[in-house]
Amino acid sequence: MRSIGGDYKEGYYIGVEVAEDDPKSHKPFYGPNRWPSSGILPKWRETMEKYHEQALEVGKKVARIIALALGLDANFFDQPKMLGEPIAILRLLHYEGRISDPTKGLFGAGAHTDYGLITLLATDEISGLQICKDRDAKPQKWEDVPPMKGAFIVNIGDMLERWSNCVFKSTLHRVLGNGKERYSIPFFLEPSHECLVECLPTCKSATNPAKFPPILCQDYLSQRYNDTHANLTIYKKQKNLQY
C-alpha cells in the first residue's frame, strides 16, 4: 500500500559543492549548498564535507566490487566519464516518533526504490528499515534490516538495474516507525552528468538483448525527479488565482 498521509520525515540535502560563478553550477544537482551559520553549528560544515568526501571513496570501492561481479574490469566505473565527476548527494533524515500502520497507508517512508547507482545508508540503533526481495510477489514479503553499528547498508538503485540489464535488481524498501525518533544518513552515488547509461557489454547476448535504450545520466535522474516530486509552481498559480 502506498503512503496516503505523506512520509513523516524531514531531511537536509548536501550535494557536490559548486560555486555559483562556476560554469558547472548550471548542471542539474550541482551548485552551492545552503550551510547553517558556523555560529549556530561550529565546524558542522567541515564535518559534513569530510563525511561526503569519505563516503564517496567508499562508494567507489563498492562500485569496483560490482564491476567484478558483472565480469568487468575492477576499475570500469572509475573512468572519468563515469565516476570522474559524480552526482553525489548526502541526505540527513529525521523520522518523527510516530507509529506506522501499513494497513492505513501510514509510513515513516513509503515503499520505493532509489533512482541511481547505489546508496550507502548509515543508521542509528533504532530499527524500522524493511526490504522486499521480490517486489513482484503478491502479497509482498517484507523483512526487517537490523541496524549494524559501524557498517553501511548498501541499496542497489534503478540505474544499476537498467545498466546491468536486470542482472542486479534495485532494492524495494520502506521505513516503519515504532514510536521512537529515528535518524539515518543515505548517500546517493550516481555517475557523471554526461555518462551514457547503456546496457553493459557483459550483461547482454543474442538471446538476452538490452531491455532499455541508452540515456544520459543527467536526463535519467531529472526525469525521475520530475516524475516523483511535486511541481510547487502549480500551487503558487492556484493561490494567486484565489486573490
Side-chain angles (χ1 to χ4, degrees):
M1 177 180 285
R2 293 183 179 275
S3 176
I4 58 174
D7 295 346
Y8 47 86
K9 68 177 188 293
E10 56 186 350
Y12 188 97
Y13 289 67
I14 302 171
V16 177
E17 180 74 18
V18 177
E20 227 169 333
D21 58 355
D22 190 312
K24 294 178 184 176
S25 67
H26 74 279
K27 293 183 177 182
F29 316 108
Y30 269 23
N33 290 298
R34 293 179 178 271
W35 299 104
S37 164
S38 59
I40 298 175
L41 292 174
K43 297 185 178 180
W44 189 78
R45 174 176 177 173
E46 292 83 353
T47 301
M48 292 297 99
E49 289 183 326
K50 189 66 175 178
Y51 186 96
H52 192 285
E53 175 187 332
Q54 294 184 347
L56 177 57
E57 290 308 308
V58 173
K60 288 181 176 180
K61 287 181 171 64
V62 173
R64 290 169 196 147
I65 297 172
I66 290 171
L68 291 173
L70 293 173
L72 301 164
D73 183 272
N75 298 318
F76 179 83
F77 292 109
D78 287 330
Q79 299 177 62
K81 64 180 180 180
M82 294 189 181
L83 292 178
E85 292 186 338
I87 300 169
I89 299 174
L90 183 64
R91 186 187 296 171
L92 310 178
L93 293 177
H94 167 242
Y95 292 87
E96 295 179 23
R98 296 171 59 181
I99 297 176
S100 297
D101 186 347
T103 64
K104 296 180 180 178
L106 301 175
F107 299 92
H112 66 283
T113 54
D114 295 337
Y115 306 146
L117 185 65
I118 57 173
T119 303
L120 304 178
L121 179 67
T123 72
D124 61 13
E125 72 281 1
I126 305 300
S127 61
L129 177 66
Q130 293 186 326
I131 62 169
C132 176
K133 293 179 180 177
D134 183 1
R135 58 181 185 245
D136 297 321
K138 297 192 182 304
Q140 292 176 332
K141 180 181 178 181
W142 290 94
E143 303 176 42
D144 293 319
V145 180
M148 189 175 296
K149 188 176 181 178
F152 284 116
I153 297 164
V154 181
N155 280 341
I156 299 297
D158 296 334
M159 186 181 295
L160 182 53
E161 178 173 327
R162 182 186 186 109
W163 221 342
S164 69
N165 214 25
C166 299
V167 172
F168 282 111
K169 297 282 190 179
S170 55
T171 312
L172 182 66
H173 55 287
R174 68 184 187 184
V175 174
L176 298 186
N178 59 8
K180 297 179 180 179
E181 283 188 298
R182 180 176 180 272
Y183 294 87
S184 68
I185 308 175
F187 179 79
F188 303 99
L189 178 58
E190 333 291 12
S192 304
H193 289 81
E194 290 77 21
C195 177
L196 184 64
V197 180
E198 59 181 337
C199 184
L200 297 167
T202 56
C203 298
K204 62 181 178 181
S205 65
T207 56
N208 183 35
K211 299 177 176 65
F212 310 95
I215 188 171
L216 288 178
C217 174
Q218 64 178 0
D219 294 340
Y220 176 75
L221 291 177
S222 295
Q223 175 185 309
R224 292 300 306 275
Y225 272 89
N226 289 336
D227 289 344
T228 56
H229 286 67
N231 181 0
L232 298 182
T233 59
I234 295 175
Y235 299 100
K236 289 181 181 179
K237 291 177 181 177
Q238 289 177 341
K239 185 176 180 181
N240 290 336
L241 288 173
Q242 293 174 359
Y243 294 96

